[in-house]
Amino acid sequence: MAEQLKMTGIKKIFPGVVALDDVDFRLLPGEIHALMGENGAGKSTLIKVLTGVYDIDGGEIELAGERVRFTGPLQAQQAGISTVYQEVNLCPNLSVAENIFIGREPRKFGRIQWSETRKRAQASLARLDLDIDVTAQLDSYSLAIQQMVAIARATDVGTTKVLILDEPTSSLDASEVEQLFTIMRRLKADGVAILFVSHFLDQVYEIADRMTVLRNGRLIGEYRTDELPQMQLVSKMIGKELEALEQIEEHAKDTTAVERGTPIVEARELGRDGAIAPFSLTIHAGEVVGLAGLLGSGRTELARLLFGADRPDRGELLIDGKPHTVKAPRDAMAEGIAFSSENRRTEGIIGELTVRENMILAMQAARGWTRPIPRRKQDELVEQYIKALQIRPADPERLVRDLSGGNQQKVLLARWLITEPRLLIIDEPTRGIDVGAKAEIQRLVAQLADGGMAVLFVSAELEEVLRLSHKIEVLRDRRLVEELENGADVDADRIMQTIASGATT
Amino acid sequence: MTSMLRHRLFWPAAVLVVLLASNLVFSNNFFTITLQDGHLYGSLIDILRRSAPLVLVALGMTLVIATGGIDLSVGSVMAISGALACLLIGDLSNPDAVGPVLLVVGAAIALCLVFGLWNGFLVAVLGIQPIIATLILMVAGRGVAQLITDGQILNVHSAPYRVIGAGYFLAVPVSFLIAAAAVGLTVALTRRTALGLLLESVGGSPTASRLAGIRSRRITIMVYVFAAAFAGVAGLIYSSDVSSADSNAAGNLIELNAILAVVLGGTALTGGRFSIAGSVLGAVIITTLDITAVSVGVPVETTLLFKAVVVIILCLAQSATFRAKVFGRFGTKRAEVPA
């Protein structure tokens, strides 16, 4: 079959970095092709080259047999390449219909035909089995719906030859993912070539026909999904054997090791109306407590209360057995509590500051502005953590927004580790980052707990929670429904059951 | 050479040099500095002296803009500070005594601090958008100033007061010394402490900063107080220079010039990274423009047009996109960053 898209010998160089080095890539019509690689492997750069965001420094691109060279995203779009990015990049303050048709509204005599716009928006969403009010403002809908709208926008152009989905599932729950896959299969049947990027290996194996693996800007190979077992894929992506992952497995269920003295933090019927129903919870030194539950089940809300990011309406918070009012993050930090938010981009990193500045920020905030951390001390700390967490590129003066997602996450972790907290709350630290970085972060959490730090670990991935936690708190509908001591009898099914049915005891 | 071209202060500095050089063509004694009666005289000294109020206001504006805010009330605060000072000096039994005049100056600045607190309160505590919050004082402030002066122009005769705006110390204009001290103070306050970093952090992302434990409310209030205090000093310089308080003319439109100075200096209006040196350079460029317009002989009615043209050229020169369009790929590499 003739390739829909063929890229040969693609080269892209940034000052000081070769982002893509002689990479070949092809897409067949009517296939779903996964682009695999760790963060920083060059996936995003390849996509940006393909969509005309970046110009190439070498190589050729052929679309449907014709040589093309895009100088801008619009050109690529007009040639039939549509993209849905990881972060929904629509306009949250416009209506759904406006978002779908922005820039190509149906017009008559230069006037936008609003009723036609709405009707067509409704129709294009109906193709995705989505029935929502298209006149409502986009941000009144959940992230998942916004993602669907983005896909509707991308595929509404009738001429779509290539559809690029960059991490479309990272904020979707299981049923929404299924819905998305149904749409993808439909588009595939129509002959669209789909490029799919996801860090969820299970999803890749469920939907993709073939895959291309990149590592450090180089092509590792192209494989049929059914011929490449998962473990082999992972080792191709990270370029080493999987001892790292296995070590964590071993660590896992060593739950009896924790001594239970006075808990560092104890919540008694702590709650906030509309966010999380009153809950009770204890966290001890050296203990990893996992929060499991679906998206929107109140995981994040619970974590935020403990950190003082939101104020509780009721209940008591005891720190070292003494009642405390935690009104603001600063109060929690003074007690040695750290919190890394799930929204890395908006609530975590400060993009225009450097890696160094981002790392020392929490410590500096705790010291106050009048007592700056001496520059030498800053450099020492930063160098130490760049090394320990293997942050790439290892340049403390690089702007943090130029780093890949996984490395940004590590910078955030470093920001909090520098403050030497007693309780580290991490919300979705592994979302949207690659297998290698994921394993590193999991190993780090296990190490920290061994060293006596308490960790509250929030994640949508049950495997991860099971692997790391001594104790698992299950949430459902903004309520803490059950506490499970992690042991041989606890597995993903058991937790799923609780999530599905509420408390089983 | 290329690293110099890429320095963010290169273009403003280049424009300043061109402006100064163009004066050479039109008036041959532009660069002459003479010593008369123990005072330095000359166009360059004039530029330094007349830049002082704008530099002060631009300093405060830089910090406010770094937090993602804006302060439109600085002109009115200037008027209030001058008005109060002149009113109090008028009431002094001996306006030539240094002690009481210093007290008056202190009182005027103290009043400005209160207005700064008010701005900060509206923005940081009540969460009103900075442009609206400070618009209130911008409009109402002129009224307050007129109330203080009873709607009149207050003339004062006080030798010590006149020193602030029109005096010389060791042959150097006092107003320039005040501005220089203010620049030094601001640099020390932001770069020798961690205030600069925290400001940039709050401006870069208020939510992320709060979750990192930064007391952004306190910092926000602080910058508005700071801006008002510096505007107050600028008001004193202005009123002292003309030995009167004119509530309408004092600091008229200076907020816009200050914003322009900050932007010319390379600080983005969206907040975050700021450059004090850039803002000072921006303020000096604007004053130089005014003086150049006179020395080149631009007719009074077209002075503003002349200014506009130069500012447009400067903004275009600073725009990487524009340079790329005009000079090809020259100087555009920097705009690209790896994902």
Side-chain angles (χ1 to χ4, degrees):
Chain A
M1 200 187 289
E3 287 98 350
Q4 183 74 280
L5 172 86
K6 191 170 164 191
M7 301 170 89
T8 31
I10 299 297
K11 205 170 200 111
K12 176 72 203 169
I13 300 167
F14 294 112
V17 196
V18 180
L20 290 176
D21 189 8
D22 198 19
V23 171
D24 298 339
F25 180 72
R26 57 191 191 124
L27 279 176
L28 305 178
E31 76 158 343
I32 297 175
H33 192 118
L35 184 58
M36 307 299 294
E38 291 190 273
N39 289 322
K43 295 182 312 246
S44 299
T45 311
L46 187 71
I47 288 175
K48 284 184 175 157
V49 161
L50 180 54
T51 54
V53 176
Y54 295 149
D55 199 1
I56 44 176
D57 297 320
E60 279 181 25
I61 305 175
E62 271 179 38
L63 186 65
E66 275 177 54
R67 237 186 113 168
V68 288
R69 182 143 189 184
F70 303 128
T71 49
L74 198 64
Q75 260 198 334
Q77 254 173 47
Q78 281 160 352
I81 298 180
S82 302
T83 319
V84 176
Y85 286 104
Q86 176 175 9
E87 319 279 359
V88 178
N89 51 355
L90 299 174
C91 307
N93 53 348
L94 295 184
S95 77
V96 171
E98 283 168 317
N99 266 297
I100 295 179
F101 285 101
I102 194 163
R104 47 190 165 88
E105 302 89 347
R107 286 164 196 264
K108 202 180 212 174
F109 309 120
R111 249 187 81 249
I112 295 174
Q113 296 178 287
W114 288 113
S115 63
E116 177 72 14
T117 306
R118 281 193 289 273
K119 217 184 294 166
R120 280 172 51 183
Q122 202 94 54
S124 65
L125 287 172
R127 279 191 290 128
L128 312 187
D129 287 329
L130 203 59
D131 183 23
I132 56 171
D133 178 9
V134 296
T135 58
Q137 206 165 301
L138 184 73
D139 62 5
S140 63
Y141 292 108
S142 69
L143 264 183
I145 302 264
Q146 294 186 25
Q147 186 88 57
M148 302 281 182
V149 172
I151 292 169
R153 172 178 167 80
T155 56
D156 186 74
V157 197
T159 55
T160 303
K161 294 188 189 112
V162 173
L163 174 65
I164 299 168
L165 299 173
D166 188 0
E167 291 278 357
T169 57
S170 57
S171 50
L172 305 189
D173 69 28
S175 71
E176 289 163 336
V177 170
E178 265 322 304
Q179 206 178 340
L180 174 67
F181 283 180
T182 314
I183 295 158
M184 285 169 67
R185 290 194 184 99
R186 201 174 300 169
L187 291 166
K188 172 181 153 177
D190 290 344
V192 177
I194 299 176
L195 170 57
F196 178 64
V197 179
S198 172
H199 283 113
F200 298 102
L201 296 185
D202 292 341
Q203 293 177 0
V204 170
Y205 275 86
E206 183 184 340
I207 191 87
D209 303 305
R210 289 186 311 137
M211 52 178 92
T212 294
V213 181
L214 299 180
R215 188 170 75 226
N216 290 334
R218 289 209 178 77
L219 176 71
I220 299 302
E222 186 195 278
Y223 312 92
R224 288 187 57 89
T225 313
D226 48 19
E227 287 168 3
L228 185 72
Q230 281 210 23
M231 283 315 239
Q232 274 187 35
L233 168 65
V234 172
S235 68
K236 283 190 195 306
M237 281 165 62
I238 62 180
K240 56 188 169 202
E241 295 307 316
L242 289 169
E243 293 158 26
L245 282 171
E246 280 150 16
Q247 275 173 11
I248 301 169
E249 289 297 352
E250 281 169 28
H251 168 87
K253 314 261 159 105
D254 189 17
T255 51
T256 46
V258 182
E259 277 186 41
R260 304 259 164 104
T262 312
I264 292 183
V265 166
E266 179 176 1
R268 283 189 192 154
E269 291 302 310
L270 197 67
R272 178 177 161 93
D273 294 344
I276 177 93
F279 63 92
S280 297
L281 173 70
T282 57
I283 307 172
H284 294 81
E287 189 176 42
V288 180
V289 178
L291 288 190
L294 297 177
L295 205 71
S297 61
R299 298 181 317 225
T300 299
E301 288 77 2
L302 190 157
R304 287 176 67 96
L305 278 194
L306 295 183
F307 184 61
D310 298 318
R311 280 192 207 193
D313 297 327
R314 56 199 72 237
E316 251 192 317
L317 185 67
L318 281 73
I319 297 173
D320 298 323
K322 284 179 228 113
H324 258 273
T325 40
V326 174
K327 283 195 225 133
R330 270 298 285 270
D331 304 330
M333 282 166 67
E335 297 300 327
I337 301 175
F339 170 72
S340 163
S341 164
E342 62 172 337
N343 295 320
R344 188 163 56 223
R345 217 172 43 128
T346 55
E347 298 184 348
I349 59 156
I350 313 240
E352 61 192 291
L353 298 187
T354 63
V355 168
R356 172 180 56 83
E357 289 168 326
N358 267 284
M359 277 194 190
I360 61 151
L361 199 57
M363 187 187 195
Q364 184 62 67
R367 290 167 67 110
W369 66 272
T370 50
R371 295 199 304 137
I373 305 167
R375 183 56 190 261
R376 191 187 301 167
K377 172 95 176 149
Q378 291 185 21
D379 290 339
E380 256 169 44
L381 282 170
V382 170
E383 201 195 315
Q384 178 192 339
Y385 279 95
I386 284 182
K387 221 177 258 169
L389 303 185
Q390 295 176 28
I391 292 170
R392 279 170 296 175
D395 175 5
E397 300 308 314
R398 183 72 76 109
L399 295 189
V400 84
R401 65 162 167 239
D402 296 345
L403 268 59
S404 66
N407 284 305
Q408 290 179 353
Q409 185 65 51
K410 290 184 198 168
V411 169
L412 275 184
L413 275 176
R415 175 192 291 175
W416 290 112
L417 294 180
I418 283 176
T419 65
E420 297 178 351
R422 294 191 297 151
L423 168 62
L424 176 64
I425 305 172
I426 32 181
D427 196 355
E428 296 280 8
T430 62
R431 178 196 286 172
I433 70 174
D434 62 75
V435 179
K438 208 178 246 185
E440 279 170 32
I441 285 175
Q442 290 174 6
R443 189 170 51 225
L444 185 74
V445 167
Q447 266 173 17
L448 291 169
D450 282 346
M453 194 183 290
V455 180
L456 185 66
F457 189 83
V458 186
S459 174
E461 284 181 62
L462 293 183
E463 303 301 331
E464 198 173 67
V465 172
L466 276 166
R467 191 177 296 157
L468 290 169
S469 311
H470 298 105
K471 194 162 85 178
I472 300 169
E473 312 288 331
V474 185
L475 289 111
R476 175 191 150 93
D477 298 337
R478 299 184 180 275
R479 188 175 292 280
L480 179 64
V481 288
E482 196 177 20
E483 179 176 295
L484 299 166
E485 291 292 331
N486 198 359
D489 56 326
V490 178
D491 57 15
D493 286 344
R494 171 82 174 76
I495 298 176
M496 283 306 290
Q497 218 178 342
T498 312
I499 290 174
S501 63
T504 50
T505 43
Chain B
M1 181 63 193
T2 40
S3 74
M4 204 173 93
L5 272 178
R6 280 182 203 160
H7 194 281
R8 59 175 170 175
L9 294 185
F10 174 79
W11 292 102
V15 166
L16 184 59
V17 169
V18 169
L19 270 181
L20 291 174
S22 67
N23 279 293
L24 204 56
V25 181
F26 292 95
S27 57
N28 12 5
N29 56 359
F30 189 80
F31 288 94
T32 322
I33 293 175
T34 53
L35 193 64
Q36 286 174 19
D37 312 329
H39 300 168
L40 290 173
Y41 279 105
S43 298
L44 289 182
I45 300 298
D46 245 17
I47 291 175
L48 292 184
R49 200 168 72 85
R50 293 198 15 211
S51 296
L54 185 56
V55 166
L56 281 163
V57 173
L59 282 175
M61 191 67 82
T62 308
L63 301 192
V64 171
I65 286 177
T67 65
I70 202 153
D71 189 349
L72 296 183
S73 70
V74 282
S76 299
V77 171
M78 273 179 74
I80 292 172
S81 128
L84 185 69
C86 289
L87 179 77
L88 293 179
I89 286 174
D91 288 345
L92 290 179
S93 51
N94 177 13
D96 286 330
V98 176
V101 170
L102 279 179
L103 275 181
V104 166
V105 166
I109 294 175
L111 182 64
C112 295
L113 292 179
V114 173
F115 281 112
L117 266 178
W118 163 254
N119 278 337
F121 173 77
L122 291 184
V123 174
V125 181
L126 299 190
I128 300 176
Q129 283 183 9
I131 195 165
I132 301 300
T134 56
L135 189 64
I136 297 172
L137 188 57
M138 177 187 177
V139 176
R142 296 257 170 226
V144 173
Q146 282 179 343
L147 199 68
I148 293 173
T149 61
D150 237 351
Q152 308 292 318
I153 294 179
L154 283 183
N155 293 306
V156 290
H157 301 283
S158 159
Y161 186 60
R162 208 170 143 64
V163 168
I164 301 172
Y168 288 79
F169 179 73
L170 296 178
V172 182
V174 171
S175 58
F176 165 72
L177 294 175
I178 294 176
V183 172
L185 177 72
T186 313
V187 170
L189 201 61
T190 53
R191 298 303 181 197
R192 305 297 293 180
T193 72
L195 187 63
L197 172 64
L198 300 190
L199 273 177
E200 289 176 335
S201 171
V202 169
S205 170
T207 326
S209 299
R210 176 171 175 267
L211 287 179
I214 296 171
R215 295 198 173 106
S216 50
R217 184 178 285 184
R218 199 180 282 191
I219 285 182
T220 307
I221 293 177
M222 216 158 105
V223 293
Y224 283 95
V225 170
F226 196 80
F230 274 7
V233 176
L236 293 178
I237 291 178
Y238 178 86
S239 121
S240 148
D241 193 21
V242 293
S243 282
S244 68
D246 181 341
S247 305
N248 287 318
N252 189 27
L253 293 185
I254 199 167
E255 61 280 344
L256 299 184
N257 274 334
I259 293 168
L260 186 60
V262 173
V263 173
L264 288 183
T267 301
L269 281 180
T270 44
R273 288 276 186 218
F274 65 90
S275 164
I276 290 169
S279 297
V280 172
L281 204 51
V284 174
I285 287 176
I286 292 171
T287 315
T288 308
L289 254 179
D290 284 336
I291 290 176
T292 304
V294 176
S295 93
V296 168
V298 176
V300 178
E301 59 273 20
T302 49
T303 307
L304 284 177
L305 191 65
F306 170 75
K307 239 173 114 173
V309 169
V310 177
V311 168
I312 289 170
I313 292 172
L314 178 54
C315 290
L316 289 180
Q318 277 185 301
S319 150
T321 320
F322 178 80
R323 288 205 304 273
K325 285 235 155 54
V326 176
F327 307 108
R329 289 180 65 79
F330 169 72
T332 58
K333 279 269 183 199
R334 195 177 56 136
E336 286 184 28
V337 286

